Amino acid sequence: MNSLGMIAIVIDEYDVAIAHYVNDLGFTLIEDTILSPEKRWVVVAPSNQGARILLAKAANETQKAAIGNSTGGRVGFFLYTTEFSQTYELYKSRGIEFIESPRQEAYGQVVVFTDKYGNKWDLIEQN
């Protein structure tokens, strides 16, 4: 059996990214290991189920250009919740930017937000 264990999101600075994903989005810091003076292995996750996120600091100009646009401007990350209204209101109170109003779709309630870097996420409560 295969499973998706981790995805990478390119960021600018480790500590700023950790603060955003942990304090603003409520994720858990799983690991923060120094690999070299310039590189750390930083992993966060919204829960103990599903994929984790590697916060990967951009190491060159090409990577820096990809910060916030790793999926070409499309929604690229999907955060499932069992408490849509509470999570939506909490994120709003923490300054998370929503680019639309919540809507009901055939698969559940959804709203698009952006993380600190401009990456688009769906917050979804499935039916």
Side-chain angles (χ1 to χ4, degrees):
M1 177 173 85
N2 298 328
S3 65
L4 179 63
M6 195 172 327
I7 60 167
I9 294 179
V10 182
I11 51 99
D12 55 359
E13 295 294 333
Y14 291 113
D15 293 329
V16 173
I18 291 169
H20 173 64
Y21 287 98
V22 172
N23 299 333
D24 299 338
L25 296 177
F27 292 11
T28 299
L29 178 62
I30 305 296
E31 184 176 357
D32 184 358
T33 302
I34 297 172
L35 301 176
S36 74
E38 298 82 27
K39 188 173 182 180
R40 290 158 54 182
W41 185 260
V42 177
V43 179
V44 297
S47 72
N48 59 1
Q49 299 177 353
R52 295 176 173 187
I53 299 169
L54 175 68
L55 300 177
K57 184 176 177 181
N60 58 47
E61 291 307 313
T62 301
Q63 292 176 10
K64 287 178 184 176
I67 294 174
N69 193 28
S70 59
T71 59
R74 294 184 56 106
V75 171
F77 307 98
F78 302 84
L79 183 61
Y80 293 103
T81 183
T82 57
E83 300 173 340
F84 184 90
S85 296
Q86 295 91 331
T87 304
Y88 174 72
E89 292 301 326
L90 177 64
Y91 282 8
K92 278 182 27 181
S93 74
R94 291 180 176 172
I96 300 301
E97 181 182 345
F98 289 89
I99 61 172
E100 64 177 11
S101 297
R103 64 184 192 282
Q104 187 65 44
E105 297 289 348
Y107 53 83
Q109 194 166 16
V110 63
V111 66
V112 177
F113 70 92
T114 58
D115 65 17
K116 173 184 178 2
Y117 301 98
N119 296 302
K120 291 181 183 174
W121 293 69
D122 271 357
L123 175 65
I124 302 171
E125 182 174 14
Q126 296 177 300
N127 292 335

